[in-house]
Amino acid sequence: MKEIAKENKMGVMPIPKLLMTMSLPMVISMLVQALYNVVDSMFVAQLNENALTAVSLAFPIQNLMISILTGTGVGINALLSRSLGEKKFDKANQVAMHGLLLAGCSYLIFLILGIFGSHAFFAVQTQDAQILGYGTDYMRIICICGFGISFQVILERLLQSTGRTMYSMVTQSVGALTNIVLDPIMIFGLFGFPRLEVAGAALATVTGQTVAAILALTFNIKRNHELRFSFRDFSVSGRIIREIYSVGIPSIIMASIGSVMTFGMNKILIAFTSTATAVFGVYFKIQSFVFMPVFGLNNGMVPIIAYNYGARKNKRIMETIRDSVFVAVAIMLAGLAVFQLMPDKLLGIFNASEEMMSIGEPALRIISVSFLLAGFNIVSSSIFQALGHGVLSLIVSVVRQLFVLLPVAFLFSRTAGLQAIWWSFPIAELVAFALCAAFLRKIKRTKIDPLGQNH
């Protein structure tokens, strides 16, 4: 028993139980995040459709912020878990401190973008004065007050890296619930608060993020005993930053590609009608209920694979992969069923007009066909990252979103009309599936099998 106590649970606990204990808190917190996404837009939609469109057009910038932070977090996560697996505790502490430094640097980038780029970003997309005004206010607040999300994401990754996903769940949930409570108060001016409309939605968001960051910092200091935060022993190391970003940069670019894709898709759709852009924004909010639990599963899976790779336990790695794919596919099939059977109910949440219903119902049904393959693709990309092959995830993402999805959507917009554009999603997912399957076979042969059959 003493021997087991010495090793982190990621090296000894049975995989199904470990995956559940690591992932379930993350899945719950991701579902709360998804709920916040939907509630945010639901309240904004009560103002008018232009308000919903403005928030939809701001999504690429919000996604870019999250992409840079979560990508950096993936690099920190993989390096920290591997260092713990190799029993290099001093290095793990250095990695954690570099995480805080990089969070601060990320915030400065978006502070500058918020001050100088908000109006220009919306002016490129629309000439509608109301959408332009709403959107500029929203983006400015999100970026200038982005210190909350910057530190929240990195501090939560530190908790996840050491297997303390329960605390990470609490911070995300408290942050999202703060946002949900403040949304109607700040948007509509309840309880004597001034009516801020779309700016109120942004203010509620950044307040929730700041609360979560403070809570995550507290948990790391008080409860994360495997890491020691000390500025006295800290010195900036180019080598550690390079190691973090060797995994992190492909992940950042991969997630940022989503911003490019969304921006491009918004441009294609708004040429038909701003309602089509609102439908696309609503789809992104609702699909988060399906995708977020899979991302939560991945957040639990990545440190398990990284730790056991450091500890050379290949059977545990393969069992983790098999279980993760099974659960991800099951979640996606449930999501597919909901999108096929009740698209009208989903759109109704957002105060949908008749035009929005007529565009949205077939859109949700067509796009959700891509869910059949998406679960496998998402898990595969995270496996590549956990084993230090983030560049393979990057290739899949670039091909799926930039080489297939956007060009096919543009081609269909010119030749077959608005409804055909939605078919670009299943087509892109099919191409990604073929790539993921090929890369996963190669990774198994070259990285996992040579670890040997011990343990």
Side-chain angles (χ1 to χ4, degrees), residues 311-328:
R312 299 187 65 80
K313 298 184 177 182
N314 69 341
K315 285 184 177 177
R316 289 178 66 79
I317 294 172
M318 287 311 301
E319 194 179 344
T320 304
I321 291 172
R322 274 195 304 273
D323 289 356
S324 299
V325 168
F326 178 79
V327 174

Side-chain angles (χ1 to χ4, degrees), residues 436-448:
C436 283
F439 289 156
L440 201 54
R441 270 200 303 272
K442 183 187 172 195
I443 286 277
K444 182 180 182 299
R445 194 175 65 249
T446 59
K447 294 279 284 192
I448 301 171

Side-chain angles (χ1 to χ4, degrees), residues 51-96:
L52 184 60
T53 302
V55 173
S56 299
L57 291 175
F59 181 75
I61 292 296
Q62 283 182 285
N63 190 54
L64 186 63
M65 288 178 81
I66 303 288
S67 301
I68 289 175
L69 293 163
T70 51
T72 304
V74 165
I76 292 164
N77 210 336
L79 183 56
L80 215 158
S81 295
R82 197 157 66 238
S83 300
L84 291 173
E86 293 166 350
K87 307 286 186 282
K88 296 178 180 173
F89 300 111
D90 284 340
K91 184 175 181 181
N93 290 329
Q94 287 295 315
V95 174

